[in-house]
Amino acid sequence: MRSDTRWYFDHNATTPIAPVTREAVSLAMEDAWANPSSLHQDGQRARRCFEEARAQVARFLGCSPKEIVFTSGGTEAANLAVLGGVRASTRRDRHVLTTAIEHPAVLEACAQLEREGVAVTYLQPSRQGVIGPEQFRRHLTKDTVLASVMHANNETGAVQEIAAMAAMAREAGVLFHSDGVQAAGKLAFSPVSAGVDFYSVSAHKLNAPKGCGALYARTGTVLAPLLHGGRQERGRRAGTESVTLAAALGAAVAMERPDVTPLRDRLEQGLLARIPGAHVNAGQAARLPNTTNVAFDGIAAESLVIALDLRGFSVSTGAACSSGSTEPSHVLLAMGLSPEQARSSVRFSLGLGNTAEQVDLLLEAAAEAVARLRALSPAHSEVVR
Ligand code: PLP
C-alpha cells in the first residue's frame, strides 16, 4: 500500500526549496563566501550580497533596511523581540501581555521571563481561535512593557487583528511584537503601516532553507541582545553573518506566490462533503489562505496522519514543531475543544507545488482512510464524541 509518489500538504511545518532560493544560495556560496566584515574586496562582495538581501526583506516588509535584524530563524527572532525588548527595560515592575495560542518560540520566552520575575498574562482565545482587541486592551496594565500577539496561528491559520492591538499598545506606551512566521508571504501586510514595533519572520516557511529568519525592529526601539561577541547587526545580534542564508531569504521574499485559497477551499469543502463527522476548527475566523484544521470524530489524528503518509500524503497533527508528541494541541485546548476533539484534529497546509489534481487525490485517500480507521479498532471508537 506504501506510495512512492509524494504529495506535500504540510507547508506550515516547512516548505520545499524553491528554484530561485536554491540559485541564490549557490550564487552566494560561489561569490559571497567571504566575511562581510572584512575590509578587502572579497569581504566587500559578501557585504554587498548581504545588504542586497537585507534590502529585499525590507522592501517585502515595507520598512527601512536598518530595521531588519537577520537571525537564525523564527524562534530566535521572536526570542530577541520578547526577551530583548523586555530585558532592555529598566523598570522595576514589568508585565508582558501575550496569548495562550502562541507558538512555543513566544510561550517559552515568556516562561523564561517569568523565571526572571516578570509577570505574564496569557489571553484566552474565543472558540474560533481569535483574541478580541477589546479583551487585549482590558489586560494592558500600568506595568506592561511588551505585548506579543501572533499574526496568524500555525495550527488553525486564524488571523488576529494585529493593527488594532498595536494601536492600543502604542497608546499605552507598550512595545508590540507580532510573530509573523506563518503570515509572512501569505497575507499582504506591512508591520510599518500596522504600527507594530517588532515582527518575526522565518525563511524556511517561505521556500528557503532552515537556519535563517529576520526581525523587523522599528527605528527607536532598543533590544538587549541574546548573543554576545561582536557588533554585527548594529549590536543587536553578534556572530559572523550567514550571507548565504540571508541571500536565500531575500530571494524567497521577492518571489511571486500563487494564491492557494481556491485549493484550500476545494479541500475543505470536499472533506466536509465526503466525510461525516468532520468539523473545521476556527472555520468562522479570518484565516490564512492555505490552512485548514479539521477534527474527524472518532479518529486518532496520528493514525490518520500515518494512514495518509502510507498513501503518499504529508499532513500533520497541528503543532508540527512538537510532532512526535502525543499531547493534545495547546491551541485547540485553549479554544475550548475537549482533549478528544483536539486529538482528532489534522492540519492540512498548502503551498507552492500543490494542484487541484493533488487535492482530489487527497480527498479520495482521506475519505477512504477515515472510513477504514473508523471501521477498525475499538481504540478508535473510544474517541467518538
Ligand atoms: N512561530 C510560528 C508561528 C511558527 O509556526 C514557527 C515554526 O513552526 C516558529 C515561530 C519558529 O520558527 P523557526 O522554525 O524558524 O525557528
Side-chain angles (χ1 to χ4, degrees):
M1 161 159 61
R2 184 183 285 273
S3 166
D4 287 334
T5 317
R6 302 293 314 173
W7 297 281
Y8 191 75
F9 285 86
D10 198 14
H11 288 81
N12 286 11
T14 197
T15 52
I17 303 296
V20 289
T21 59
R22 191 192 303 265
E23 203 174 308
V25 165
S26 161
L27 268 176
M29 280 183 159
E30 271 169 41
D31 197 49
W33 46 266
N35 188 326
S37 298
S38 297
L39 284 180
H40 46 65
Q41 292 182 33
D42 295 315
Q44 292 312 297
R45 234 175 23 254
R47 171 60 58 192
R48 277 196 298 278
C49 177
F50 191 56
E51 294 310 325
E52 174 51 29
R54 193 193 305 281
Q56 284 172 312
V57 176
R59 269 197 295 281
F60 172 67
L61 293 175
C63 67
S64 152
K66 291 179 187 155
E67 296 177 308
I68 296 298
V69 185
F70 280 111
T71 66
S72 65
T75 300
E76 189 192 328
N79 267 243
L80 179 57
V82 173
L83 296 173
V86 173
R87 287 176 184 160
S89 158
T90 52
R91 277 156 59 176
R92 198 171 63 92
D93 296 316
R94 291 172 301 175
H95 170 249
V96 168
L97 182 54
T98 187
T99 83
I101 56 170
E102 298 297 309
H103 185 273
V106 167
L107 287 179
E108 296 293 326
C110 288
Q112 175 57 32
L113 287 173
E114 287 191 88
R115 289 189 285 274
E116 293 173 20
V118 176
V120 181
T121 302
Y122 300 89
L123 295 172
Q124 297 297 321
S126 70
R127 177 75 193 200
Q128 292 299 323
V130 176
I131 307 291
E134 281 310 321
Q135 171 195 13
F136 174 86
R137 191 205 296 273
R138 277 200 307 280
H139 287 85
L140 289 167
T141 74
K142 64 173 188 12
D143 294 329
T144 312
V145 177
L146 178 137
S148 188
V149 178
M150 73 196 320
H151 193 180
N153 187 266
N154 43 307
E155 297 188 36
T156 63
V159 175
Q160 307 299 337
E161 289 182 53
I162 297 305
M165 291 187 253
M168 292 169 179
R170 180 159 298 182
E171 204 180 288
V174 170
L175 290 169
F176 189 88
H177 166 247
S178 185
D179 173 350
V181 166
Q182 291 294 344
K186 297 173 189 152
L187 300 174
F189 176 81
S190 160
V192 180
S193 15
V196 165
D197 297 297
F198 302 119
Y199 193 74
S200 302
V201 302
S202 170
H204 77 94
K205 311 290 185 181
L206 291 160
N207 306 96
K210 280 151 268 298
C212 185
L215 179 69
Y216 158 75
R218 187 178 56 74
T219 301
T221 53
V222 182
L223 287 167
L226 301 178
L227 301 181
H228 304 272
R231 298 291 306 156
Q232 289 92 347
E233 298 299 89
R234 300 174 171 261
R236 295 170 294 188
R237 207 269 184 176
T240 304
E241 304 90 332
S242 174
V243 177
T244 310
L245 293 176
L249 176 56
V253 295
M255 199 170 97
E256 284 284 321
R257 289 174 188 278
D259 177 14
V260 294
T261 317
L263 294 181
R264 190 276 309 270
D265 292 348
R266 184 185 185 102
L267 174 61
E268 191 169 285
Q269 284 153 22
L271 289 172
L272 295 179
R274 284 167 188 241
I275 304 179
H279 318 269
V280 178
N281 295 319
Q284 308 299 312
R287 275 182 302 157
L288 290 177
N290 80 318
T291 308
T292 182
N293 188 306
V294 182
F296 298 95
D297 293 349
I299 295 291
E302 273 150 23
S303 308
L304 182 54
V305 168
I306 292 164
L308 286 174
D309 184 43
L310 291 172
R311 288 161 174 81
F313 300 90
S314 300
V315 303
S316 115
T317 58
C321 297
S322 54
S323 65
S325 92
T326 49
E327 288 299 301
S329 146
H330 72 281
V331 173
L332 299 179
L333 292 182
M335 286 161 57
L337 271 71
S338 69
E340 288 69 28
Q341 290 167 329
R343 282 202 182 89
S344 72
S345 297
V346 172
R347 178 184 70 187
F348 304 87
S349 51
L350 292 81
L352 219 57
N354 286 135
T355 63
E357 291 70 35
Q358 293 177 8
V359 167
D360 292 345
L361 289 171
L362 173 56
L363 284 171
E364 216 170 286
E368 193 246 332
V370 168
R372 198 178 270 249
L373 287 172
R374 281 186 179 150
L376 260 174
S377 73
H380 291 299
S381 51
E382 270 170 26
V383 289
V384 177
R385 290 185 217 168

